[in-house]
Amino acid sequence: MLSARYDVLAHNSSYEALCPGVLAGERNMARRVFLTPECCNAYRHNWYDLRRMVGYLRGAYAKNLGDPQWKGFVAELCSESESFASLWALNDVCGAGEPNEVGAEFGGGGVGDVFDEYVVAVGAECVDAGVYAGG
């Protein structure tokens, strides 16, 4: 289970096995996706998925405009990731009425490639994530 900022709030043993190291280090998936160097990044997002991820963050940010933690979070991602900054500058907002699936592929953990699909609960405080093993 992820927060609206993609912080890992809860997980199970399968998630821990598929994402080794996630729980020991940075527990924010947006930081992991955008701030981890490509050579070391297990997430293989395509541009469409990254754009939607940023769009959901922008939608959640709109509900937290005065929150200094949100401001700092977005400022950090924009200053440290050219990719995030360019997507943030598009001003896309995902929310009610938008398709609600965001997918990503990642490898590692000794299990091969995995497809990770997030089902976003629009208007909720959390993002519900489901993991599906791919071929």
Side-chain angles (χ1 to χ4, degrees), residues 54-72:
V54 173
Y56 282 115
L57 280 170
R58 184 175 280 285
Y61 180 76
K63 297 175 186 175
N64 295 280
L65 287 175
D67 187 330
Q69 287 184 327
W70 270 91
K71 284 182 182 181

Side-chain angles (χ1 to χ4, degrees), residues 72-93:
F73 176 69
V74 170
E76 172 194 4
L77 289 171
C78 283
S79 69
E80 295 186 30
S81 170
E82 186 177 314
S83 192
F84 182 87
S86 66
L87 290 168
W88 188 259
L90 294 174
N91 293 315
D92 289 342
V93 177

Side-chain angles (χ1 to χ4, degrees), residues 17-133:
L18 290 170
C19 304
V22 168
L23 304 172
E26 174 61 59
R27 293 176 65 108
N28 180 277
M29 293 294 94
R31 283 189 181 111
R32 284 212 175 248
V33 167
F34 288 100
L35 303 183
T36 302
E38 192 172 329
C39 65
C40 308
N41 199 334
Y43 293 91
R44 290 180 245 158
H45 291 272
N46 64 47
W47 182 83
Y48 176 78
D49 292 331
L50 293 175
R51 184 177 179 180
R52 291 188 54 72
M53 184 179 199
V54 173
Y56 282 115
L57 280 170
R58 184 175 280 285
Y61 180 76
K63 297 175 186 175
N64 295 280
L65 287 175
D67 187 330
Q69 287 184 327
W70 270 91
K71 284 182 182 181
F73 176 69
V74 170
E76 172 194 4
L77 289 171
C78 283
S79 69
E80 295 186 30
S81 170
E82 186 177 314
S83 192
F84 182 87
S86 66
L87 290 168
W88 188 259
L90 294 174
N91 293 315
D92 289 342
V93 177
C94 295
E98 296 288 325
N100 66 353
E101 293 181 4
V102 179
E105 284 186 53
F106 62 96
V111 296
D113 291 342
V114 174
F115 179 75
D116 189 4
E117 183 177 72
Y118 299 89
V119 179
V120 180
V122 176
E125 294 301 316
C126 297
V127 177
D128 183 26
V131 179
Y132 306 93

